[in-house]
Amino acid sequence: MTDILTTARDRVLATGRGLDHDQLMQILDLPDDRIPDLLALAHEVRVRWCGEEIEMEGIVSIKTGGCPEDCHFCSQSGLFESPVRSAKLDIAQLVEQARQTRKTGATEFCIVAAVKGPDENLMSQVEQAVGEIYANVEGVDVAVSIGILTPAQVDRLKAVGVHRYNHNLETAASYFPQVVTTHTWEERRETMQLVRDAGIEVCCGGIIGMGESPEQRVEFALQLADLDPDEVPLNFLDPRPGTPFGHMDVMDGKDALRAVGMFRLAMPKTTLRFAGGRELTLGDLGVEQGMLGGINGVIVGNYLTTLGRPAEQDMDMVDRLRLPIKVLSRSV
């Protein structure tokens, strides 16, 4: 039987085609002593098909907490006894946050709101914020994440120059009912197809380590690959007190690294971004292994409800690993 990493080298590295279901399952079954080989190959794949540059992004919430949805991992839900309280930022604060994010070297700034989908007030605020950021902060692209959209809302975001839209599938379709019951996986998928059809870049990923099986982890990767996203934010569950998943164990670091390699070999041409939970799950050494194992994007600073590493620490890491940072080249 041909070694799976040899198969991956011939198929993914040489031709840019992702592995299939059975092959990805073999990746997750690799023994611990093969993880360095997996990550080395994943790094070769991402350099070959994505280039050497690392994309840095900052995120800020325009509306935190009080969400009516029941995503079991999220402390922003108003249905759980979690410590997050509702808060909002005004336009001037968003512009300043974008300016400070740009100073870290990031070229992407994402505006996020904890909602199922935007009402007219939120849409208008986002439109104004995007315009003000482009007018006042040079060298930054604006991304938005405000939930499930209608076709008309997608067109409005396109019109104000939104560069990329984030709405995560979160997990495999077969496992989604164990994670969320107040809306469907298909609703999320439909929004991202609308975004794709409008010509806005698609940012769509999720969280691993929420109790899904290895088979569902592979299912999730293939469903994302079918969507053909420009970016996949890869989060690891950081159990939040007061949420239904608050009791879960943190994912094993070796399994997390296998998953990083597996996602890269499923989507060789996609920006794969380290997001929430990487510090807790992998630690500093594991994060660096991931950066040399298929990852080519990082969220710098804090996340929506959890603390990340200081942005300067990530910038130092990227410099130490001699990874070039993507420079914004388009005019806005």
Side-chain angles (χ1 to χ4, degrees):
M1 180 177 178
T2 304
D3 177 71
I4 183 56
L5 295 186
T6 300
T7 299
R9 180 171 294 276
D10 293 341
R11 173 170 172 152
V12 187
L13 183 62
T15 71
R17 294 183 300 126
L19 297 181
D20 63 25
H21 176 277
D22 291 346
Q23 292 165 338
L24 293 174
M25 284 301 303
Q26 291 180 59
I27 294 296
L28 293 187
D29 285 338
L30 284 170
D32 290 355
D33 63 2
R34 299 298 307 281
I35 292 175
D37 297 330
L38 166 63
L39 297 179
L41 175 58
H43 182 68
E44 286 188 71
V45 167
R46 82 94 169 158
V47 171
R48 170 76 182 274
W49 295 105
C50 300
E52 294 185 351
E53 293 182 324
I54 299 293
E55 184 178 291
M56 314 298 280
E57 179 183 24
I59 59 175
V60 66
S61 179
I62 194 172
K63 175 189 174 294
T64 302
C67 182
E69 304 305 291
D70 74 343
C71 304
H72 290 13
F73 55 83
C74 186
S75 57
Q76 297 200 68
S77 173
L79 304 178
F80 308 144
E81 293 297 326
S82 49
V84 172
R85 295 293 174 259
S86 297
K88 295 182 180 181
L89 293 179
D90 60 28
I91 302 299
Q93 290 173 310
L94 285 172
V95 172
E96 181 57 27
Q97 290 272 13
R99 185 177 291 114
Q100 293 304 316
T101 295
R102 182 68 188 96
K103 287 181 179 179
T104 70
T107 56
E108 188 92 11
F109 180 73
C110 188
I111 300 170
V112 182
V115 292
K116 180 178 182 179
D119 58 17
E120 180 55 35
N121 181 61
L122 179 58
M123 277 297 300
S124 297
Q125 189 179 19
V126 168
E127 288 171 315
Q128 183 183 351
V130 172
E132 290 292 325
I133 290 169
Y134 278 143
N136 292 283
V137 185
E138 186 175 353
V140 69
D141 272 326
V142 180
V144 170
S145 179
I146 51 176
I148 295 168
L149 300 176
T150 66
Q153 289 169 335
V154 172
D155 290 342
R156 288 171 65 176
L157 294 178
K158 173 71 172 178
V160 296
V162 169
H163 165 66
R164 186 176 289 171
Y165 192 80
N166 165 255
H167 193 50
N168 291 335
L169 295 181
E170 303 300 8
T171 190
S174 67
Y175 193 63
F176 191 85
Q178 308 303 313
V179 179
V180 183
T181 68
T182 49
H183 60 267
T184 67
W185 186 93
E186 288 75 17
E187 287 177 280
R188 288 176 174 259
R189 178 64 170 75
E190 182 180 354
T191 284
M192 298 319 294
Q193 190 60 56
L194 290 173
V195 168
R196 162 73 67 214
D197 292 346
I200 300 173
E201 287 194 4
V202 169
C203 172
C204 188
I207 306 173
I208 57 176
M210 294 193 294
E212 76 281 355
S213 67
E215 290 82 0
Q216 287 167 325
R217 211 164 284 160
V218 167
E219 176 194 345
F220 180 37
L222 290 172
Q223 287 166 343
L224 286 171
D226 182 64
L227 184 61
D228 190 25
D230 298 277
E231 173 187 343
V232 170
L234 191 58
N235 299 270
F236 305 94
L237 181 67
D238 182 349
R240 296 288 85 203
T243 67
F245 287 173
H247 67 283
M248 286 190 173
D249 294 331
V250 174
M251 186 178 184
D252 178 79
K254 290 185 175 65
D255 287 340
L257 289 174
R258 287 186 188 88
V260 169
M262 184 271 290
F263 273 81
R264 173 51 69 203
L265 297 180
M267 294 173 283
K269 301 179 182 180
T270 297
T271 295
L272 188 58
R273 188 184 299 278
F274 262 157
R278 60 187 168 108
E279 303 85 358
L280 180 66
T281 302
L282 293 169
D284 290 346
L285 179 60
V287 168
E288 293 193 8
Q289 289 177 294
M291 295 302 299
L292 295 175
I295 295 293
N296 60 328
V298 181
I299 291 179
V300 296
N302 295 329
Y303 309 110
L304 297 178
T305 61
T306 59
L307 296 177
R309 306 197 303 179
E312 295 78 11
Q313 189 174 346
D314 279 329
M315 301 301 290
D316 289 345
M317 173 188 68
V318 169
D319 182 63
R320 185 172 60 257
L321 298 177
R322 298 184 179 181
L323 299 173
I325 296 174
K326 180 179 178 181
V327 177
L328 180 66
S329 58
R330 76 179 189 92
S331 59
V332 293

